[in-house]
Amino acid sequence: MVDKALTTVTVGLLWHSLSSDNLGVGALTESQINICQAAALKAGVAVRFIVLGTAGGRWYPPIGVDVVYGGRPSFRQWLLGKSDFSRSLDKCDLILDIGEGDSFTDIYGIKRFTFLLISKLLVLAKRKPLILSPQTIGPFNSMPCRYAAAWVMRRADKVYARDSMSRRYLSSMGLDENAAEAIDVAFRLRFDKPDKRSEGKLQIGMNVSGLLFSGGYSGGNQFRLATDYPKLVRQLLARWSDNAELDVWLVPHVLPNNLPNDDDRVAIRTLATEFPGVRVAPDFSSPSEAKSFIASMDFFTGARMHACIAAFSSGVPVIPVAYSRKFNGLFSSLGYSYVADAVAHSTDVIEKFIVNGMEIRSELSAAVKRGNDHAFAQLAEYERELEVVFTQLGGRARTDPNGLMTGTQA
């Protein structure tokens, strides 16, 4: 509950979600809220949240948090003066835009880029403080998109890249003055580490990406992988599933009921039929529940980045299977070289790399620990920056004679 004695700062969480079937987006949102609450406590203010993003089939708001859903961005509704999104922005003192982690780019198509861009333009039109929270920036392959993105980011109060590759990309666009680097906020996702599931057996977790298994959103190897991903998964399961010393778990992390090409569970059901020796993880109700499950593994591999972050940040040795530069950028920023690049290497090379990773788990564990030390230090700095912002907003709320920054009710 909000302490009525404290000034309240209302934070709009743009392109976040607490109901997304992609638990990675949910992990970003839960973690962002955790960081904001810690920063607000140090700043001596209360904080409430308005989520401004896509909705899914779940609902996992953190307990005890003052949070509601606002309107979805719509440029047409804004022009007609009927925008719930615009009215939600009016209630916010600050906008944190996380771009669903990796959506501020034109590689997913001009329509999606335009949608992300317009939402930022509407925030700027309202003269609301705009911070782009840690995320992958770009690439912007079209010059008009690159120009428009640079124009918007130059006018943001701060732009945080979540990896050194994105930070360098910002520099190449001439965006250094208000840019900084901080790791993915999902490293701060809370979890419970359960006891071992089967005494004496090695617990192997494999996140199977339904998206890669079906060839991408459009099929036909959309991401131009050198690896035959379905073949890779089957070869690993053929190697591991009948080993009496192993418990092999198939772990979903994206669970949309209406998008079978993107649903990890669809691919997992197929594989569980082919390999009856494997075990299937449950349909998780929240990102924290998924991370708590993953944290019980002795070794993990996966092609959903936030499933791999869940493993890494809970201390589990992991081999991520990269299909885009967001993997390479993030894990290289942590000094972690144990990433299987499915764009660059063949199926057999990737299989051998993953199998070897399981054999040298202690080496991976040491690298994971070093990487986590770096990640948590970066997020501590991000939290301190938010503390400064909340302190400033709290001061303005107390001194503004017009009451413009009073943390209005959602």
Side-chain angles (χ1 to χ4, degrees):
M1 298 297 293
V2 173
D3 186 338
K4 300 298 183 183
L6 297 177
T7 300
T8 298
V9 173
T10 300
V11 179
L13 297 178
L14 182 56
W15 299 115
H16 293 67
S17 179
L18 287 170
S19 63
S20 177
D21 298 311
N22 183 333
L23 298 183
V25 177
L28 292 171
T29 308
E30 283 194 37
S31 305
Q32 181 87 283
I33 288 172
N34 294 340
I35 293 170
C36 284
Q37 286 189 309
L41 181 64
K42 294 174 184 175
V45 300
V47 62
R48 66 166 55 91
F49 302 95
I50 303 178
V51 179
L52 304 164
T54 55
R58 286 164 169 72
W59 178 233
Y60 36 82
I63 296 173
V65 176
D66 188 354
V67 57
V68 297
Y69 251 91
R72 291 193 63 193
S74 169
F75 189 61
R76 181 174 177 274
Q77 288 183 2
W78 181 71
L79 289 174
L80 294 173
K82 300 178 181 179
S83 173
D84 290 336
F85 176 69
S86 179
R87 285 187 285 273
S88 294
L89 290 179
D90 289 335
K91 300 173 183 178
C92 297
D93 302 318
L94 167 70
I95 303 297
L96 299 179
D97 177 350
I98 209 159
E100 294 189 333
D102 68 343
S103 291
F104 196 34
T105 175
D106 59 7
I107 66 172
Y108 298 119
I110 190 65
K111 181 178 180 180
R112 187 170 176 180
F113 169 79
T114 302
F115 205 36
L116 271 286
L117 181 73
I118 286 173
S119 66
K120 294 167 177 55
L121 292 172
L122 294 178
V123 173
L124 294 174
K126 294 280 186 180
R127 299 186 181 276
K128 298 291 182 178
L130 172 63
I131 294 175
L132 271 60
S133 293
Q135 59 190 278
T136 301
I137 304 294
F140 306 106
N141 294 320
S142 159
M143 283 307 297
C145 290
R146 185 181 173 93
Y147 177 83
W151 191 92
V152 165
M153 288 189 287
R154 196 167 284 115
R155 286 156 179 78
D157 290 74
K158 198 84 172 183
V159 178
Y160 283 96
R162 68 178 176 184
D163 59 75
S164 55
M165 190 178 294
S166 289
R167 180 65 184 86
R168 289 192 298 272
Y169 191 73
L170 285 170
S171 292
S172 75
M173 297 174 71
L175 298 167
D176 282 312
E177 186 175 344
N178 65 337
E181 182 181 338
I183 204 68
D184 193 294
V185 298
F187 277 80
R188 287 277 291 270
L189 181 64
R190 293 172 182 154
F191 70 102
D192 298 313
K193 190 158 187 171
D195 295 332
K196 284 289 183 183
R197 298 181 177 277
S198 180
E199 193 65 36
K201 285 191 175 185
L202 200 65
Q203 304 297 299
I204 306 298
M206 180 189 291
N207 161 245
V208 179
S209 168
L211 182 63
L212 297 189
F213 201 82
S214 59
Y217 296 109
S218 58
N221 192 18
Q222 178 184 356
F223 298 104
R224 300 179 180 179
L225 304 184
T227 297
D228 182 332
Y229 181 75
K231 181 180 178 182
L232 170 67
V233 171
R234 288 184 169 104
Q235 287 182 183
L236 288 169
L237 292 179
R239 178 187 291 269
W240 288 337
S241 63
D242 292 329
N243 188 330
E245 297 179 355
L246 307 178
D247 273 340
V248 181
W249 293 87
L250 301 182
V251 183
H253 211 254
V254 175
L255 313 95
N257 291 323
N258 60 339
L259 295 170
N261 280 6
D262 197 24
D263 191 336
D264 297 351
R265 298 167 301 176
V266 173
I268 284 173
R269 283 194 292 268
T270 297
L271 294 166
T273 300
E274 295 177 18
F275 300 93
V278 302
R279 304 178 73 174
V280 177
D283 286 4
F284 303 114
S285 61
S286 72
S288 290
E289 184 182 333
K291 184 172 181 177
S292 296
F293 182 94
I294 291 169
S296 69
M297 299 291 105
D298 296 306
F299 174 78
F300 193 81
T301 185
R304 297 289 191 180
M305 193 171 82
H306 279 98
C308 295
I309 289 175
F312 194 105
S313 60
S314 59
V316 176
V318 57
I319 299 287
V321 178
Y323 67 90
S324 81
R325 75 175 177 90
K326 66 181 180 180
F327 284 80
N328 310 74
L330 185 136
F331 288 103
S332 66
S333 297
L334 298 173
Y336 193 75
S337 60
Y338 305 97
V339 176
D341 191 337
V343 177
H345 298 296
S346 69
T347 307
D348 291 342
V349 168
I350 297 296
E351 180 192 7
K352 184 178 180 181
F353 188 83
I354 293 171
V355 170
N356 182 64
M358 189 181 76
E359 296 300 323
I360 58 169
R361 294 185 305 282
S362 60
E363 182 179 320
L364 269 61
S365 293
V368 163
K369 184 181 185 307
R370 291 191 298 270
N372 276 323
D373 289 343
H374 179 70
F376 292 124
Q378 279 198 329
L379 288 178
E381 181 59 33
Y382 173 64
E383 182 184 308
R384 282 191 288 270
E385 292 286 339
L386 289 180
E387 179 188 347
V388 171
V389 173
F390 288 148
T391 299
Q392 292 170 344
L393 289 172
R396 288 175 63 181
R398 285 186 287 270
T399 60
D400 191 334
N402 297 314
L404 296 179
M405 300 291 292
T406 55
T408 50
Q409 292 288 336

